[in-house]
Amino acid sequence: MSDDDTAPAAGNPAAKVAIAVVLLLLVLVVIYAFSDRMAPSSSRGIVSAHVVQIAPRVSGEVTEVLVEDDAVVQAGDALFKLETRPFDLALAQAKANLTSATQGVDASSASLVAAQAAVTQARTALDTTRAEAERTFRLEERGVVAAAQGDAARGQVADAEARLATAEANLESARRQLGPDGADNPAILAAEAQLEQAQYDLASTTVRAPHFGVVTNVLLAAGQYASAGNPALTFIDADAAWVTVDLRENQLQSVEAGDPVHLLFDAVPGQIFDGRVQSIAWGIDPGRNNQGGLVMNQTTNRWFEPARRIPVRIELAGGMEAWPQRVRVGGKVHAVVFADGTGNPIAWVARGLQRIRSWTSYLH
């Protein structure tokens, strides 16, 4: 037997290569495990926003659609109109009933009708202003909008409340002109309520945008019948967007609200945006079904149960002003959460890999 045949296995180049490969795999596994906890990432992020189904408050035939598909609208812009004839008749009937009620006290209802119309208009404007302001306040609390916008919203609410108070004072003055027999007359009060309802219904025949945003998937057309409370248009709020990333449960061990995040949008290749973790979902639906009052057993043929993923909500640093215009709701996002900060080797590796990914995103 030759000396070559008795050489130890350690001298075999193939054995050295195999050992090196095994060691490299072990190192990669360790890096992967630490990355999952110190800098978890996912390429399955989704751009999310408030999507509202716009429905009319009253029923009627659509006479005019005032927006085109994917149109950008401001708060209060008219979206579509309904046939006003039935509501005009109801308003005329309400005015006639009020006139009839005031005849018994020898007074004119003209000033009362005008004052009631002003109250209805002021109350409708206040409702719209409050809804817009409440949304601004919520964004202000999360730091998405500047404090100046919150102050402006408070001023708008105060102005709308003052206008309503003035209109109600004028209405009370018009009531007192009816004299002691008319101010608290039940018939007159009932006629006033009917008049306000008729005025409100007539104003509701024009459906308006609740906020600044985009109208999309417009399928509404003149001649369709729109029922009260049934969705007619799809509206996307342009002032409240975020990224939803589903992370595995074992990736969330160190993730906390406020952790820095780097975001890569497929719609904006080559650019990485700063964000932060806003919140982590407290639960998901595991898909368990009930039958006969008991939870059904979930049969599976898999060797390993797939990992559950928990949604993490991420907001872009700088608020809505920092959002790239080309990003659309439902768009794909790659996110890296720096759960242990950005000053460690794992974070450096994660940032480097995401930077390479941003360059290759031009190609796919």
Side-chain angles (χ1 to χ4, degrees):
M1 183 178 294
S2 66
D3 293 339
D4 292 340
D5 294 336
T6 60
N12 189 342
K16 293 181 178 180
V17 172
I19 293 174
V21 170
V22 170
L23 291 176
L24 178 60
L25 289 176
L26 289 175
V27 171
L28 292 177
V29 169
V30 171
I31 293 176
Y32 178 80
F34 276 99
S35 298
D36 258 3
R37 285 149 184 80
M38 300 174 66
S41 64
S42 174
S43 61
R44 302 173 62 182
I46 300 174
V47 178
S48 306
H50 292 299
V51 179
V52 182
Q53 298 294 317
I54 302 293
R57 289 192 289 255
V58 295
S59 301
E61 181 183 342
V62 177
T63 58
E64 189 177 4
V65 179
L66 303 173
V67 291
E68 297 179 352
D69 197 15
D70 300 322
V72 178
V73 294
Q74 301 293 330
D77 285 355
L79 303 179
F80 62 93
K81 293 184 177 181
L82 303 179
E83 173 60 54
T84 62
R85 181 60 178 166
F87 303 98
D88 288 330
L89 295 174
L91 180 58
Q93 180 65 50
K95 290 180 179 179
N97 291 344
L98 182 58
T99 301
S100 177
T102 56
Q103 284 179 348
V105 294
D106 193 23
S108 173
S109 65
S111 60
L112 200 58
V113 170
Q116 184 63 68
V119 169
T120 301
Q121 184 178 9
R123 183 170 288 119
T124 302
L126 177 59
D127 290 342
T128 302
T129 303
R130 277 178 175 167
E132 179 71 12
E134 287 296 331
R135 177 176 142 279
T136 301
F137 297 155
R138 290 193 296 270
L139 297 176
E140 181 188 20
E141 289 176 357
R142 302 204 309 267
V144 178
V145 300
Q149 289 185 249
D151 293 338
R154 293 182 187 89
Q156 292 171 353
V157 171
D159 182 65
E161 289 175 343
R163 292 177 183 273
L164 177 58
T166 300
E168 289 177 338
N170 292 337
L171 176 59
E172 184 61 27
S173 177
R175 285 173 178 165
R176 291 183 178 181
Q177 292 178 5
L178 299 178
D181 295 334
D184 298 323
N185 189 302
I188 294 179
L189 294 177
E192 284 185 47
Q194 182 185 12
L195 175 63
E196 183 177 5
Q197 182 65 56
Q199 291 169 337
Y200 182 77
D201 289 344
L202 180 59
S204 298
T205 58
T206 299
V207 180
R208 302 183 180 276
H211 313 296
F212 168 61
V214 178
V215 177
T216 189
N217 194 28
V218 177
L219 302 177
L220 193 66
Q224 290 182 234
Y225 187 86
S227 299
N230 288 342
L233 285 179
T234 302
F235 176 84
I236 300 176
D237 191 342
D239 279 341
W242 63 93
V243 173
T244 302
V245 177
D246 293 335
L247 296 180
R248 299 193 314 274
E249 292 179 275
N250 61 352
Q251 290 180 300
L252 296 174
Q253 295 179 15
S254 302
V255 176
E256 300 287 347
D259 285 345
V261 183
H262 281 183
L263 301 170
L264 171 62
F265 298 92
D266 274 15
V268 191
Q271 289 185 257
I272 295 177
F273 296 82
D274 292 327
R276 69 178 185 90
V277 175
Q278 195 271 326
S279 63
I280 303 171
W282 281 100
I284 60 173
D285 182 5
R288 300 297 296 270
N289 297 321
N290 296 328
Q291 185 172 354
L294 298 176
V295 178
M296 295 178 61
N297 182 41
Q298 289 184 311
T299 58
T300 178
N301 295 324
R302 299 178 179 178
W303 284 95
F304 298 100
E305 181 69 18
R308 299 282 169 82
R309 296 180 179 270
I310 306 297
V312 177
R313 179 167 173 156
I314 299 170
E315 292 182 332
L316 203 63
M320 292 304 300
E321 291 80 6
W323 273 88
Q325 293 184 353
R326 294 186 179 277
V327 172
R328 299 292 188 267
V329 175
K332 185 181 174 184
V333 187
H334 179 268
V336 178
V337 181
F338 298 101
D340 201 38
T342 58
N344 57 78
I346 295 296
W348 301 337
V349 172
R351 292 169 65 178
L353 292 176
Q354 190 181 45
R355 176 58 64 183
I356 296 174
R357 188 186 187 97
S358 72
W359 296 332
T360 60
S361 64
Y362 282 103
L363 306 176
H364 64 87

